[in-house]
Amino acid sequence: MRTSRTLRRALAATAAATVLALVSACGGDSGGSGSGPAGASGPPRQGGSATILLPTEAARGLDPTAAAVNGVGDGNRLAAVYDVLFWMDPKTGRVGPGIGESITAADDGRVWTLRIRPGVRFSDGTPFDAEAVRFTYERHADPANRSPQLSSAAGLRLQVVEPLVLRIELPAPNAHFDRVVAKNLTYIGSPEAYRKDPKGFGAKPVGAGPFVLRQWQRDAQMVLERNPAYWQPGKPALDRVTFKVVPDIQQAMASVATGSATAMVTVDYQLIDKGRKDGVTVEQLDLSGGKMVVFNSARPPFDDPRARRAVVLALSAEGFNSVVYQGKAPAARGMFAPGTAFHDPASRTPDDDTAEAQRLLDALAAEGRPLDFTFTTYASPPSVKTAEYIQSRLHTLRNASMRIETLEPGAMTLKTQISRDFQASVFTLWIDDPEPALYTFLHSGGATAWTGYRDADVDRALDTGRRSTDPAVRAAAYAEVQRRLDADLPVWVFQNAVAALAHKNTLTDVTLFNDGTVLFDRLALRA
């Protein structure tokens, strides 16, 4: 399917969210683990300041229709400024209320009713109502705004039924649209503030969250102060939150370990291990999806499934762990991490069969198609090391040649996920529930299905999982997705995802939601 130039621009913002995790890997209905469980409590105190380190700047600003919603990207900044309509608990897979009071389905999931708590106001004093939600969703759906959430909002028919009630009609039934709202459409800005200054809204955002942006020094820090008009009396506990940009993740962890910073967000298994050894408390989520090799199934040589299988069988998930990650990153066994609701113990994604890999390579060469391709990756040490491991494994086999192309994040996004001008690459996907991330990644009708993979059985299984609320039906559907992925190998997951907040036992009431974002109304310093 050819994608319009406008839509490609919108997809660029979506893809940009993934490159924020250059330092590591990438969910399922999984709980927290580690030194302190997500949501752990301790004696809190009122007041104080927290400095939280993030690896990247909010490149497109803090407009909800521009920013990246993932936790390692802009998610924490957005949650602090805007609060959440709804949020998803990765431990249970359930959607919880925030400013949104309830969201309920009718007509087999085609029509949803969203109710908002009374009395909530944006920090500019204007009402947070159904019209504000409608306004934000229509901005997401406008391709001219290049929203990363375009595919989640496209085709929605929105009707303000009452001042605090929004009726949402979907283009097709989705029994899990509440998850779409909680993950992709949860941040709502003030329509009045946006209308006054559309171009400047991303730099001067107005939300209804626990904090208000006071100062922003680009590529350095963002200072937020307690919102005195916050809708929850007595919250937040903190007086101030400062987000600092520290791209060097080793330096960031050292700052946390020595107490010069309060906390950092990370998605790196090795760094988590190092932090624990240095006495750092880690609030950790183990998720599905993860770090994967992605093949462009729409162009040679990987339009031939034998070529994809040959590469995968030449590799080893355990090898990645031991060689690239020094044994700190558990090897994946498919898209769904062990211990999560959709992991199928009977499934084992193929790998580490060099004899069969050689047979396939010889067969391709006999047909005049010896394997010769370029592997495109990020110009960061972990990503380069990953590519070099793949290259070293293929180098031991006949009829296989691989070159490594390294790109900076913006160029990488444009080449792979927008222009789709690649043969094989590396990609990171966080999944706390298959909806909506897996659907948009793999379904052939999805706007972000950029790998060129098309399979009717996968589409049917994803549709079934989207439309059903029966856990057994969903489990069977996603088991079928995994079986088809194991057979076709359009992607190969070698490391399931992790997301964490690391601190020196200084924080309490830490609650991580979605893919590792913090609920800032609860966060407090220990007494």
Side-chain angles (χ1 to χ4, degrees):
M1 180 189 305
R2 186 173 298 274
T3 308
S4 71
R5 179 177 301 174
T6 304
L7 182 55
R8 286 200 301 271
R9 289 174 178 167
L11 294 179
T14 306
T18 65
V19 303
L20 297 169
L22 304 182
V23 297
S24 179
C26 335
D29 303 345
S30 172
S33 63
S35 302
S41 293
R45 70 178 173 92
Q46 196 71 22
S49 301
T51 298
I52 299 176
L53 309 183
L54 298 173
T56 59
E57 179 58 280
R60 295 187 65 202
L62 291 187
D63 185 336
T65 65
V69 299
N70 60 328
V72 75
D74 300 328
N76 285 290
R77 300 177 177 106
L78 294 170
V81 171
Y82 292 101
D83 210 343
V84 292
L85 262 179
F86 299 92
W87 60 283
M88 186 160 155
D89 186 343
K91 297 177 292 184
T92 65
R94 296 191 182 98
V95 172
I99 295 175
E101 196 169 52
S102 66
I103 181 167
T104 54
D107 193 19
D108 294 327
R110 187 168 194 127
V111 176
W112 289 75
T113 300
L114 190 158
R115 296 180 181 275
I116 298 164
R117 295 181 188 274
V120 179
R121 290 187 173 272
F122 293 106
S123 60
D124 63 358
T126 58
F128 191 122
D129 54 17
E131 173 58 28
V133 178
R134 183 202 64 78
F135 181 82
T136 299
Y137 286 5
E138 289 190 349
R139 291 190 59 231
H140 279 303
D142 183 352
N145 290 325
R146 300 163 53 205
S147 171
Q149 314 312 328
L150 171 64
S151 61
S152 296
L156 301 182
R157 298 181 62 183
L158 307 167
Q159 179 186 1
V160 176
V161 179
E162 298 175 15
L164 298 179
V165 179
L166 183 68
R167 182 183 186 273
I168 306 171
E169 183 178 345
L170 312 186
N174 182 353
H176 306 283
F177 182 70
D178 54 342
R179 288 184 168 92
V180 177
V181 172
K183 295 183 68 176
N184 294 349
L185 301 173
T186 195
Y187 302 115
I188 306 298
S190 163
E192 181 69 18
Y194 178 81
R195 291 188 182 105
K196 286 181 178 177
D197 187 8
K199 292 183 179 179
F201 186 79
K204 298 178 180 178
V206 176
F211 294 92
V212 178
L213 177 63
R214 294 302 187 202
Q215 178 190 353
W216 187 354
Q217 183 181 354
R218 290 278 181 171
D219 299 312
Q221 68 177 25
M222 181 182 290
V223 179
L224 290 78
E225 294 181 353
R226 192 177 192 272
N227 180 2
Y230 186 51
W231 64 275
Q232 296 190 74
K235 293 186 176 183
L238 294 169
D239 292 329
R240 183 178 294 105
V241 171
T242 300
F243 292 112
K244 286 192 174 182
V245 179
V246 181
D248 185 333
I249 60 172
Q250 300 291 339
Q251 177 189 337
M253 184 60 79
S255 296
V256 173
T258 60
S260 59
T262 311
M264 72 171 294
V265 174
T266 184
V267 291
D268 188 289
Y269 277 105
Q270 288 176 276
L271 198 64
I272 289 170
D273 180 73
K274 183 181 186 304
R276 288 197 174 110
K277 289 178 179 177
D278 291 341
V280 171
T281 298
V282 179
E283 317 282 355
Q284 179 176 332
L285 293 177
D286 297 306
L287 304 168
S288 292
K291 200 163 203 176
M292 62 188 76
V293 175
V294 176
F295 301 103
N296 189 340
S297 299
R299 59 177 289 185
F302 297 116
D303 55 344
D304 189 322
R306 295 175 299 173
R308 304 194 297 264
R309 180 166 289 272
V311 172
V312 169
L313 293 180
L315 305 178
S316 165
E318 293 290 353
F320 268 106
N321 181 28
S322 62
V323 174
V324 182
Y325 298 99
Q326 286 73 57
K328 307 303 181 185
R333 288 291 175 259
M335 188 70 72
F336 303 105
T340 63
F342 301 109
H343 175 69
D344 181 3
S347 172
R348 188 185 188 284
T349 301
D351 74 343
D352 205 12
D353 186 347
T354 54
E356 178 62 11
Q358 188 63 72
R359 188 191 71 79
L360 292 168
L361 291 170
D362 290 344
L364 289 167
E367 298 173 11
R369 302 176 64 187
L371 185 63
D372 184 15
F373 71 100
T374 297
F375 189 87
T376 304
T377 193
Y378 299 107
S380 66
S383 296
V384 172
K385 195 169 184 179
T386 293
E388 289 174 345
Y389 170 75
I390 298 171
Q391 187 180 53
S392 70
R393 296 279 292 197
L394 287 171
H395 185 69
T396 65
L397 301 175
R398 300 184 304 275
N399 300 316
S401 177
M402 173 184 143
R403 293 165 300 283
I404 299 174
E405 176 186 33
T406 60
L407 298 172
E408 294 303 319
M412 173 79 166
T413 300
L414 178 63
K415 186 175 182 67
T416 59
Q417 296 161 45
I418 309 307
S419 300
R420 307 182 185 189
D421 179 22
F422 75 104
Q423 292 175 302
S425 186
V426 66
F427 183 64
T428 306
L429 183 68
W430 289 268
I431 302 176
D432 48 7
D433 184 90
E435 276 295 330
L438 195 64
Y439 189 98
T440 56
F441 180 55
L442 289 177
H443 197 284
S444 63
T448 55
W450 50 272
T451 68
Y453 180 60
R454 302 289 183 268
D455 185 89
D457 291 335
V458 169
D459 286 351
R460 279 191 290 271
L462 290 170
D463 287 335
T464 298
R466 166 166 279 199
R467 291 171 180 167
S468 177
T469 57
D470 185 328
V473 172
R474 295 191 80 207
Y478 295 121
E480 175 62 18
V481 170
Q482 185 63 66
R483 282 192 291 272
R484 293 304 307 159
L485 294 181
D486 291 345
D488 292 346
L489 296 172
V491 301
W492 179 65
V493 182
F494 58 86
Q495 181 188 113
N496 289 133
V498 67
L501 184 77
H503 59 97
K504 191 72 171 180
N505 201 30
T506 51
L507 295 173
T508 186
D509 291 350
V510 178
T511 301
L512 302 182
F513 72 99
N514 290 0
D515 58 3
T517 304
V518 177
L519 286 175
F520 280 88
D521 63 313
R522 305 183 182 190
L523 193 65
L525 294 172
R526 292 186 183 276

